[in-house]
Amino acid sequence: TPQHPEVLQASHLADEPSSASLERFAGFLRIPTVSSREAPDHTRNPETFTKAHEYLESNFQDVWKQLDVEKVAEHSLLITWPGTNSTLDPVLFISHQDVVPADDVDLWSVPPFSGLIKDGFVWGRGAIDTKFSLTAMLEAVTTLLASNFKPERTLLFGFGHDEEVGGEKGAGSIARLLASRGVQLDMVNDEGGMLSVDGLKPLTHTPVALIGTAEKGFQSLRVTVKGTGGHSSRPPLDASTVADRMARVILAVDAQPPPTRLVAPTTSLLKALAPKAPRAFRWILSHCDNPLVAPSLAKYMAAKSAEFSGVVRTTVAPTVLQAGSADNVMPQEGSIIFNFRPMPDETANYTKEFLEGHLGRDKAHAAIEYVGEYGLPSNVSAAQGAHWDIMHEAASTTLSDQDIVVAPYLLTGSTDSKHYASIVKGGIYRFSPLQLSMKAGDTRRIHGLDERVTVNSYLKAVTFYEKLIKLSGSLSQ
């Protein structure tokens, strides 16, 4: 891929290898590997994934020549770096090749698949989520191969092709393949948390590396209501239309959402923040699991921001509403899909019971059913011990020149790591070494307009993965 003239100008780098590394990343962003739930193989265009594989092989030749690279389910990749001690269980590093669509091209500041390096940023769909981690891992592996590093523990790299639509064809297929081979994983690293360079205001202004030790569940339920239909010129006087009943359910859920509470790993996060918190918060955060403190603190956090609210309660949002087909006819039936993200300790039936409790006067006219993907919350991985220690060491020593907090975190979204949960003996840690600024609105760029990442963040990410891969390969327990 021809090098853009903006590379050296924007990054102000005299280091030619760094510029080449950035250009390899940017070139991968130019391949529109969009996944699609509707397609049988979950790809919008299979040829783009073929092109992506050819690009990666061409630009990371040492990886393809020296390690075992397998195609799984045609579009996913499994790379094996054999360890010198076959009695040790492997460590798996996860990323994904696919991206969400960027159909609103005219609203972007630069073309979404331009891979432009400009003004100190690398721009493009996938720059954050998460071609960033995929190429940074491959850069790190290439460097370690060149240094003749030989891992004691086998290292695996799983790059799925459909994470954005659930990961069943990609990561799911890789996980099933590993299980069929009798593989038990010692540890997994996937995307998820990031380095919040602004801290977590108002709780701390110190940068925080948020390492996801758990992720919330994913459940969607459809509430179908029946009501008085007929000609729109004669609406009933008892508010019994489908629209009335749908509105009451939505307003009831909005008025009384699931309760707030503090559970792990959020309690561990708050305790980790306490030493770097403003004086007024230090005692409160360090005693966040005190039954007299926790309820008020959870309510305070829920009111501060959507991000905080997501880690202190099961969230619910109406996402799909369907009713009626003609402007002069009142429908006799309509439906609402509510999407829930359950907390780690939530019971399997909680979401349905919650909705049943909000139907009120319309209960006799409503039915509830689960729809689509159904995922229970994950287990909570330990924030202590050998696995946590290497995550902590890699983040704290490579990502910033200033002091940072490394803390456990509850991931409110869903990752490919869920497909490997049944074959992991140690822990799953969800962290990409992204430097994002809440103040600059960086998190809104994920799946949004003008997705981009700083040049400095990408180069530090390569260093982070070099450290983490080396530590993982030497992890002897």
Side-chain angles (χ1 to χ4, degrees), residues 393-394 397-398 462-472:
E393 181 178 348
T397 60
T398 65
V462 175
T463 304
F464 168 84
Y465 282 121
E466 286 178 28
K467 186 70 172 280
L468 183 60
I469 291 168
K470 200 167 186 178
L471 290 171
S472 299

Side-chain angles (χ1 to χ4, degrees), residues 103-118:
D103 297 330
D104 43 9
V105 176
D106 294 340
L107 300 178
W108 282 61
S109 300
V110 302
F113 292 104
S114 63
L116 191 63
I117 305 176
K118 178 182 178 183

Side-chain angles (χ1 to χ4, degrees), residues 268-301:
S268 299
L269 164 68
L270 297 177
K271 289 183 177 182
L273 297 181
K276 297 295 183 179
R279 191 173 299 276
F281 282 109
R282 287 178 192 171
W283 187 89
I284 295 172
L285 298 186
S286 64
H287 292 77
C288 62
D289 51 3
N290 183 305
L292 298 178
V293 173
S296 296
L297 180 55
K299 289 180 181 177
Y300 171 81
M301 292 176 64

